[in-house]
Amino acid sequence: QKEVEQNSGPLSVPEGAIASLNCTYSDRVSQSFFWYRQYSGKSPELIMSIYSNGDKEDGRFTAQLNKASQYVSLLIRDSQPSDSATYLCAVKDPGTYKYIFGTGTRLKVLA
Amino acid sequence: DGGITQSPKYLFRKEGQNVTLSCEQNLNHDAMYWYRQDPGQGLRLIYYSQIVNDFQKGDIAEGYSVSREKKESFPLTVTSAQKNPTAFYLCASSTLYGRHLDTQYFGPGTRLTVL
């Protein structure tokens, strides 16, 4: 069973701090990784995708991928109360066209 | 505007009823998916489809049925055989270019409650 693991949290950070969210995956041949943000009662919205080892930056968000260690992380700089949400990590299964999701990490940014 | 629409937003079902959730996309995506999300839980795959007139069971297909008669549409029927259907249902779609060019996007969801 292919798995994606996340700490459920909540992860609490003060406003303006860096929030660091982590995700590990079990299938070594996975190639595509995604971070989604989900506000309570709403559907997931894509924040970032990453395919290559290293960092990928988009505004206040940085995704980091380490395929050798099988983890992917999301850093949120200058965290705002509006960033308070559940963050879902997803990995595309290369053998099918399915996406495997972690259970999400709940982030709380304290004003 | 390109996107994925789901209707209705809220749905109430009586015991023993079948109900159908609508999902339509105008993104020209080949693949479509149905997920179920329970409070505080992750997404569980119900069914997915890569091409018209073909679909595959996901991890929790029992009690559900789908059809894919058009590329744009992937309705989900929750049958009376599904014993605990109260949940948030999410439809998604993606391209099928292969490798890392594909990304999945979600509709707004349908919240189903059994009375």
Side-chain angles (χ1 to χ4, degrees), chain A residues 1 31-32 34 36 38 41-46 49 51 88 92 96-99 101-104, chain B residues 33 35 37 41-43 45 48 50 59 88 90 94 96 99-100 102-108 111:
Chain A
Q1 180 83 358
Q31 298 283 330
S32 306
F34 306 88
Y36 291 85
Q38 186 176 25
K42 302 295 185 182
S43 65
E45 57 179 318
L46 180 72
S49 57
Y51 319 115
L88 301 174
K92 187 180 173 193
T96 69
Y97 289 98
K98 297 193 293 185
Y99 294 74
F101 285 82
T103 54
Chain B
Y33 308 77
Y35 295 91
Q37 187 175 40
Q41 308 254 334
L43 304 180
L45 182 65
Y48 63 109
Q50 297 163 28
D59 302 317
F88 189 40
L90 290 159
S94 75
L96 286 178
R99 293 181 64 83
H100 35 264
D102 300 320
T103 302
Q104 189 173 75
Y105 297 92
F106 286 85
R111 194 165 299 279

Side-chain angles (χ1 to χ4, degrees), chain A residues 2-47:
Chain A
K2 298 173 184 178
E3 294 182 334
V4 175
E5 306 250 352
Q6 296 181 256
N7 188 318
S8 62
L11 171 67
S12 295
V13 300
E15 184 175 357
I18 296 175
S20 177
L21 306 163
N22 299 312
C23 169
T24 60
Y25 58 95
S26 63
D27 189 350
R28 183 169 291 277
V29 301
S30 298
Q31 298 283 330
S32 306
F33 307 87
F34 306 88
W35 283 100
Y36 291 85
R37 177 176 61 198
Q38 186 176 25
Y39 291 113
S40 181
K42 302 295 185 182
S43 65
E45 57 179 318
L46 180 72
I47 298 175

Side-chain angles (χ1 to χ4, degrees), chain B residues 53-98:
Chain B
N53 293 324
D54 189 36
F55 45 82
Q56 289 77 42
K57 292 182 179 180
D59 302 317
I60 56 164
E62 186 175 348
Y64 299 97
S65 66
V66 292
S67 63
R68 186 89 186 272
E69 297 177 2
K70 298 187 298 182
K71 185 176 181 178
E72 304 79 25
S73 178
F74 192 41
L76 173 75
T77 296
V78 184
T79 74
S80 57
Q82 172 49 240
K83 296 306 177 189
N84 186 21
T86 294
F88 189 40
Y89 290 86
L90 290 159
C91 178
S93 71
S94 75
T95 52
L96 286 178
Y97 300 130

